[in-house]
Amino acid sequence: MTERIMRANGVDLCVETFGTPADPAVLLIAGATGSMLSWDDAFCARLADGGRYVIRYDHRDTGRSVTYPPGEPGYGFADLVADAVGVLDALAVVRAGVVGISMGGGIAQLLALDHADRVASLTLIATSPAGPNAPGLPPMSPELLAHFAAGAPPAPDWTDRDAVVEHLAAEGRPYAGPRPVDARAAREAAGRVFDRARNIASSANHFLAGGGEPWRSRLGEIAVPTLVLHGDADPLTPPAHGEAMAREVPGARLVLLEDTGHELPPGVWDVVVPEIVAHTALARPSRDEVLARIRRLGTVDAGTAFERLYAAAARGEVDVPWHREQPHRLIVARFDGVDGTGKRALVVGAGYGQDAGYLAGLGFDVVGFDISPTAVAAARERFPAARFEVADLLDPPAAWAGAFDVVLDVLIAQSLPADVRPTAIANTGRFVAPGGTLLVLAHARADDEPATGPPWPLTRAEVESYATDDLRAVRVDRAGPGWRAEFRRAVS
């Protein structure tokens, strides 16, 4: 799990992901007043285990996202729709399987209508083509009508955790189906909601946000595969709402959930998870999109993302987009015929170990390191003559300073964002022993060329920045579309 505040649609939203960025993306959209915790951790993990890159987020006025004064939402329903697109943009997701529950299902419908290029498939849970008590659709259940007629329970003291937890736990009970309710679990979940909220009283602002123009007449325009999941005991939007949705969206398929209300209880996950996994198999990301997704997770979490990717590849679920079976051709050309006996070599970001294995075959005492434990384990099995370790280039072992006669940086610096790249470059140079050599290979860009990525091709100045007072450049030249640079440390 990687939770962070991201700028999306011009506001700060809290976003969390599960699974590997190389898998098809699934965007989960919560209902009214619901934070990302509306989607249970275990539910998200099960979707990720099914080979999905799962994204959940806090709506405005929930969780750790931007908040507004209670009773004064600074946004409308259209902004909540745009927020969902902004979350995809922030994570570099081109298209996602969109899953919405209740109000989130309304947001999902408008995404499929107004942002169809971003939606690979649509899953609508406990939602309606027109909302509760709409003409031509059954009204809410008599029991729920009576509950509302009796008057809403008074708002608690929003600063009193115990009172708010009891209020939130009780608030959901009228919407539940006949399944037994785990009161303790409901209170624990409510406690987590309270503890994460910046202003728990503001969540009711969702009911005050303007809804815009009705869109039921447009449902026939939805052109993405659509799955409708609806409780057979839903008291707010009875099953006929789900049936109408399945009729009015072309090709939609309805699955009724037994003994289920306006909710997604654990008792139906065995049905719901396989249905969503099967329905969201479309839109496997391209190599460039996978790389972009990893970078957008941020520097701190990139290591986690790389590990997820290599772990999924080890399970046979995805391919590592930068994998190559052979050592880099320029490394082979540079070291052809070299006897490495008695010399130490370090391979930065070794991946599956091809370059490290090649140098070990020349007699070098080789260490290859990577931030992914799964990649390191695979490299150890493939190339037992080299040693492989888990390490972070931004915080490498102190014992490696000045310890290697040969250091290889093959397309590593260019994979790092600009804010940490200078640190990575400096750390790489420190590995070189007196009299030792650093080889750098990177894609090239001109000084006036935009730095789009990932990866971010390096300028000549960036390549030359590996040099220090005692680590001198002996060559920096172009090799086709990239740089081939060599640096040598003076003998002290």
Side-chain angles (χ1 to χ4, degrees):
M1 294 182 287
T2 51
E3 182 179 324
R4 70 193 54 80
I5 302 296
M6 306 189 83
R7 196 72 175 168
N9 190 32
V11 296
D12 288 339
L13 300 180
C14 188
V15 181
E16 188 169 34
T17 65
F18 298 71
T20 170
D23 280 331
V26 172
L27 178 68
L28 303 177
I29 307 177
T33 77
S35 72
M36 67 166 66
L37 297 185
S38 300
W39 306 100
D40 192 279
D41 292 358
F43 177 79
C44 297
R46 286 181 61 169
L47 288 176
D49 289 343
R52 298 294 174 264
Y53 181 45
V54 181
I55 304 161
R56 66 180 184 178
Y57 67 100
D58 292 327
H59 286 302
R60 301 184 192 211
D61 278 324
T62 72
R64 295 173 180 159
S65 288
V66 62
T67 64
Y68 303 79
E72 302 177 23
Y75 54 89
F77 194 75
D79 295 299
L80 299 180
V81 176
D83 287 351
V85 177
V87 168
L88 297 181
D89 289 341
L91 291 171
V93 173
V94 176
R95 297 171 71 223
V98 176
V99 180
I101 187 167
S102 192
M103 181 193 79
I107 292 173
Q109 293 170 46
L110 282 177
L111 283 174
L113 286 167
D114 297 335
H115 304 275
D117 59 325
R118 309 303 298 273
V119 180
S121 65
L122 192 61
T123 302
L124 305 173
I125 306 172
T127 191
S128 170
N133 299 324
L137 292 170
M140 64 183 71
S141 72
E143 294 80 8
L144 193 57
L145 281 169
H147 169 76
F148 288 129
D157 175 356
W158 293 108
T159 65
D160 183 337
R161 186 182 190 278
D162 290 341
V164 174
V165 165
E166 290 301 325
H167 176 80
L168 295 178
E171 199 174 42
R173 290 173 192 148
Y175 299 94
R179 294 174 183 271
V181 175
D182 187 336
R184 179 179 177 182
R187 284 193 294 271
E188 289 177 352
R192 289 186 65 201
V193 170
F194 180 89
D195 293 340
R196 289 186 70 255
R198 295 177 60 188
N199 188 348
I200 189 69
S202 294
S203 62
N205 281 346
H206 289 174
F207 297 120
L208 303 176
E213 293 296 322
W215 63 86
R216 185 177 183 180
S217 62
R218 299 175 57 202
L219 291 177
E221 301 170 18
I222 293 178
V224 299
T226 301
L227 171 66
V228 179
L229 301 172
H230 211 98
D232 65 356
D234 189 327
L236 182 66
T237 52
H241 288 248
E243 294 165 0
M245 183 67 70
R247 283 196 309 272
E248 296 176 30
V249 175
R253 183 169 63 89
L254 172 66
V255 176
L256 286 176
L257 305 175
E258 186 176 357
D259 294 335
T260 302
H262 199 76
E263 57 182 339
L264 190 63
V268 298
W269 292 356
D270 285 346
V271 173
V272 170
V273 170
E275 287 282 359
I276 293 177
V277 167
H279 187 64
T280 56
L282 301 174
R284 183 167 294 281
S286 68
R287 173 188 181 278
D288 288 345
E289 185 177 346
V290 171
L291 290 169
R293 290 180 181 185
I294 289 173
R295 301 299 170 219
R296 293 290 178 85
L297 291 179
T299 302
V300 173
D301 296 314
T304 302
F306 279 117
E307 168 55 19
R308 290 177 184 170
L309 179 60
Y310 278 109
R315 297 191 298 268
E317 298 169 358
V318 299
D319 294 323
V320 175
W322 51 82
H323 171 60
R324 48 187 165 81
E325 289 294 337
Q326 303 299 324
H328 197 285
R329 61 180 181 80
L330 294 179
I331 298 301
V332 174
R334 169 60 178 80
F335 289 96
D336 184 30
V338 171
D339 182 2
T341 303
K343 297 180 180 179
R344 300 189 70 199
L346 180 72
V347 179
V348 178
Y352 286 138
Q354 297 86 347
D355 297 327
Y358 172 74
L359 292 182
L362 298 178
F364 286 93
D365 176 13
V366 180
V367 174
F369 76 92
D370 201 280
I371 201 166
S372 164
T374 299
V376 167
R380 286 171 178 166
E381 184 174 344
R382 297 182 71 200
F383 301 102
R387 290 180 292 120
F388 294 93
E389 298 186 20
V390 177
D392 184 350
L393 178 56
L394 302 180
D395 185 23
W400 288 358
F404 297 94
D405 302 290
V406 171
V407 176
L408 297 188
D409 177 343
V410 180
L411 310 178
I412 300 302
Q414 68 178 40
S415 70
L416 298 173
D419 59 334
V420 298
R421 197 177 305 139
T423 300
I425 287 173
N427 287 346
T428 299
R430 293 188 186 106
F431 300 139
V432 183
T437 297
L438 166 64
L439 267 295
V440 177
L441 302 180
H443 294 126
R445 68 180 174 90
D447 292 340
D448 59 353
E449 185 178 350
T452 58
W456 293 274
L458 304 186
T459 63
R460 175 177 287 275
E462 287 177 307
V463 174
E464 291 176 344
S465 72
Y466 282 87
T468 62
D469 289 343
D470 65 342
L471 183 66
R472 305 294 180 83
V474 296
R475 69 180 301 176
V476 177
D477 57 24
R478 295 290 292 264
W483 298 112
R484 176 175 53 191
E486 185 168 334
F487 303 82
R488 191 158 298 128
R489 170 146 283 137
V491 178
S492 57

